[in-house]
Amino acid sequence: MENITIQVDPEIAKAYREAEPEKQQKIQIFLNIMLQKVVSQKPLLDIMEEASQQAIANGMTPEILESILNDEN
C-alpha cells in the first residue's frame, strides 16, 4: 500500500483521527475500494469482484461492512 493525502471536511478529519485503530482500518479498506472503482476503467462487475476479494483478504466481513455503512458516529 501507499499513502496519499486528500482534503476532507474538518468534521470528517476529526472523527477519523479520534476513531479507534480498528475503525480507521475499516475506513481505509472501504475508501480504497471506492477509489479503485472511481479510477478504474474496468467493468463494474470486475471491480466489485476484485474489491470483494481484497476486502475478504484484509478481514472484511459482511457484518463489518454493514457496521461501517450503518455507523452514525
Side-chain angles (χ1 to χ4, degrees), residues 6-7 19 23 29 33 37 44 46 50 57-58 66:
I6 59 170
Q7 292 185 343
K23 187 168 185 175
I29 292 168
I33 292 167
K37 177 183 170 202
L44 181 57
D46 291 348
E50 288 178 19
N58 286 304
E66 183 176 343

Side-chain angles (χ1 to χ4, degrees), residues 43-73:
L44 181 57
L45 289 176
D46 291 348
I47 294 168
M48 291 172 62
E49 179 63 30
E50 288 178 19
S52 176
Q53 290 173 2
Q54 286 179 5
I56 291 168
N58 286 304
M60 180 70 73
T61 65
E63 294 80 17
I64 292 172
L65 179 58
E66 183 176 343
S67 75
I68 292 169
L69 297 175
N70 291 330
D71 195 354
E72 296 177 7
N73 293 327

Side-chain angles (χ1 to χ4, degrees), residues 16-33:
Y16 179 81
R17 283 192 300 270
E18 293 175 355
E20 304 262 336
E22 182 180 297
K23 187 168 185 175
Q24 288 180 353
Q25 182 180 20
K26 292 175 188 176
I27 294 167
Q28 290 171 20
I29 292 168
F30 179 76
L31 288 175
N32 191 54
I33 292 167

Side-chain angles (χ1 to χ4, degrees), residues 30-41:
F30 179 76
L31 288 175
N32 191 54
I33 292 167
M34 293 296 102
L35 289 171
Q36 182 180 16
K37 177 183 170 202
V38 170
V39 300
S40 179
Q41 298 298 317

